[in-house]
Amino acid sequence: MWPLLTILLGLSVLCALPQDAIGECSLTFLSPNVPFVLTRFGSKHFVSHSAGVYERDEGEEIHLFCGSGFQFNKHRYDSNELPSIQNKTLTCQNGYFYDLKSNSVEVLEASCLRGALKMFESRTSLANCEEHMTLVLGLDFEDLRSVKNAALCFDILAAQMKYVAYTTIPKGNRIVEKSQLGQLNDLGLDDNVVYRKALFRTFSQEDIDTYVQDKLLFDMRSFEYANLVQDVDVGGSLSRFEGMLSIVWMRSLRTGNWKHWVTALSAATGSGAMFDLRLGVSGTLELPMAPESQCNGNRNLTIRSQSVPAQIWAHVRRLQPAVGDPVDPEEFVLIGQNSPFIISSDLCDSMCDQVSWLRTSLFASLHKFPAFGLVQCCHVKDVSHKLDNFPGPFVDVDAEEPVATTTTASQLLMALGMDVQ
């Protein structure tokens, strides 16, 4: 009997997730601009962010949040845009969801107009970002606190990102709390910032292909313009701000060894580990010159005045010690060579084999092969002075009170004193 009750209660607890409860009303969230859903369970408030079908029983409510406003698709394909509204409560009545405050007709589908997150400026700066803007991408739930997904150190005069910071968390319902684990805890959502895409340089793939082919050194699609954050779960929520986050990637690096280590990171996160990450770029890719050339011209590769980075770096810190692996480094730096002309690097003595969650991954087998993009793992002290915009080692700042940022059905049932066997 107890196992059955455990399963039923677990499903009811996670009612914010798609298709986890059998209800009388269904609401479809459309990708990629999925709203956030806030669900209360006792004193806790869970926030979820997944595409799919959400269901509620007669008389129940669903609380939606979109930093860019809503688009509701109603009966008979009638669409309604609400650009100035950032939160909505819909009620299940007679088999359909309704916005009772506006006497609207039934709502069948919902999405955000341009993404769920908002941009804020924090008066508390990221590390070594005191001379620039610290921009936080998140949501403010007012009395219920906030969720901070990522933060940028941004030079507004140069319209240039110095680095982006975020914390990985296991998938599941996220609890909205007074504090959150990781490097974003002390940052504030102090001032609203209206994101304007027109302020930032953007490229089309055609622009890049045309330029690099003129150099007679590259094939079509050798380089791509893409988000610096390649983690699908994190990067997807930041897609609205790609004008600030995108860089010119060497395709073989982005789809090769960089993807391989991000996949290993996702697997470790899925197993319950949490990581602080900072991502940035360094240097400018230099073109080779013929030995007999007497030209003193600029060898740097730039596209429409934007430099193509020579290296892409990721500063990684594990928030909990690795169990059973005392030599696992607490923090290290991955450096990817964003150039097809680099076949070896002396930036550091690579120590990828010391990282437990990388050791058995595909990345471990391929990271030394330039065909997949050469990537090294370095101790912070060996490269902190060699990389542009690197903020230095992490400095521990304790949250006001320790909290769990995700809760699964099993964890919650255990907290209630119930058997989860």
Side-chain angles (χ1 to χ4, degrees), residues 282-287 298-302 306-311 388:
S282 184
T284 302
L285 191 157
E286 293 187 350
L287 302 175
N298 191 341
R299 297 168 53 202
N300 292 340
L301 182 60
T302 59
Q306 178 163 319
S307 298
V308 177
Q311 292 99 22
D388 295 339

Side-chain angles (χ1 to χ4, degrees), residues 32 91 129 159 226 229 235 242 249 253 293 296 322 325 381 391 396 418:
T91 304
C129 193
V229 181
E242 282 189 343
W249 286 85
L253 173 65
S293 174
N296 293 320
D325 201 331
K381 61 182 176 59
D396 286 322
M418 297 183 65

Side-chain angles (χ1 to χ4, degrees), residues 53-333:
V53 178
Y54 286 65
E55 298 180 338
R56 292 293 185 271
D57 288 325
E58 178 73 16
E60 291 184 344
E61 297 177 332
I62 187 168
H63 305 283
L64 311 180
F65 291 81
C66 279
S68 62
F70 290 94
Q71 176 172 314
F72 291 136
N73 295 332
K74 303 177 181 180
H75 201 49
R76 296 179 182 174
Y77 307 100
D78 181 19
S79 180
N80 185 25
E81 293 188 358
L82 303 171
S84 61
I85 304 298
Q86 297 176 3
N87 63 81
K88 268 290 180 186
T89 297
L90 303 179
T91 304
C92 175
Q93 284 193 351
N94 301 320
Y96 290 100
F97 280 105
Y98 294 88
D99 178 8
L100 298 183
K101 290 186 178 179
S102 63
N103 297 316
S104 67
V105 298
E106 56 267 22
V107 179
L108 302 178
E109 298 174 336
S111 63
C112 300
L113 288 176
R114 293 179 302 279
L117 299 177
K118 291 185 62 177
M119 179 178 288
F120 303 85
E121 182 174 6
S122 172
R123 295 168 193 163
T124 301
S125 296
L126 284 165
N128 291 334
C129 193
E130 292 77 12
E131 296 181 0
H132 306 295
M133 297 182 74
T134 293
L135 301 173
V136 182
L137 309 179
L139 277 178
D140 187 359
F141 296 109
E142 298 177 349
D143 295 340
L144 301 178
R145 305 300 177 179
S146 63
V147 167
K148 291 167 273 192
N149 279 32
L152 287 75
C153 178
F154 199 82
D155 181 349
I156 190 62
L157 294 179
Q160 181 184 61
M161 174 184 59
K162 298 299 182 179
Y163 67 90
V164 58
Y166 64 93
T167 302
T168 68
I169 60 174
K171 289 184 178 180
N173 281 354
R174 187 173 180 178
I175 299 178
V176 182
E177 288 280 8
K178 186 176 181 180
S179 57
Q180 66 182 62
L181 293 178
Q183 61 186 321
L184 306 183
N185 179 63
D186 283 353
L187 301 181
L189 307 183
D190 298 310
D191 299 304
N192 285 307
V193 177
V194 178
Y195 174 70
R196 301 184 187 278
K197 188 176 181 179
L199 294 176
F200 308 103
R201 293 189 297 267
T202 58
F203 301 95
S204 68
Q205 189 61 47
E206 184 179 359
D207 291 333
I208 296 175
D209 290 343
T210 300
Y211 183 86
V212 298
Q213 281 189 302
D214 287 343
K215 295 296 180 182
L216 304 178
L217 293 170
F218 308 105
D219 296 328
M220 182 77 77
R221 298 276 174 163
S222 294
F223 290 88
E224 298 176 328
Y225 193 62
N227 198 324
L228 177 59
V229 181
Q230 288 293 296
D231 184 309
V232 174
D233 293 328
V234 178
S237 68
L238 307 179
S239 59
R240 178 187 176 193
F241 308 101
E242 282 189 343
M244 302 176 72
L245 289 165
S246 293
I247 63 167
V248 180
W249 286 85
M250 183 175 70
R251 184 178 184 274
S252 58
L253 173 65
R254 188 185 73 83
T255 61
N257 280 324
W258 200 268
K259 179 180 179 180
H260 296 156
W261 89 259
V262 170
T263 299
L265 177 77
S266 297
T269 302
S271 298
M274 295 179 61
F275 300 88
D276 273 339
L277 277 90
R278 298 163 172 169
L279 305 175
V281 300
S282 184
T284 302
L285 191 157
E286 293 187 350
L287 302 175
M289 303 294 289
E292 66 276 8
S293 174
Q294 301 298 315
C295 177
N296 293 320
N298 191 341
R299 297 168 53 202
N300 292 340
L301 182 60
T302 59
I303 301 175
R304 288 171 51 188
S305 75
Q306 178 163 319
S307 298
V308 177
Q311 292 99 22
I312 299 169
W313 55 262
H315 186 192
V316 183
R317 176 177 68 164
R318 187 166 186 153
L319 294 180
Q320 313 101 325
V323 178
D325 201 331
V327 299
D328 204 33
E330 179 184 356
E331 61 178 298
F332 65 100
V333 184

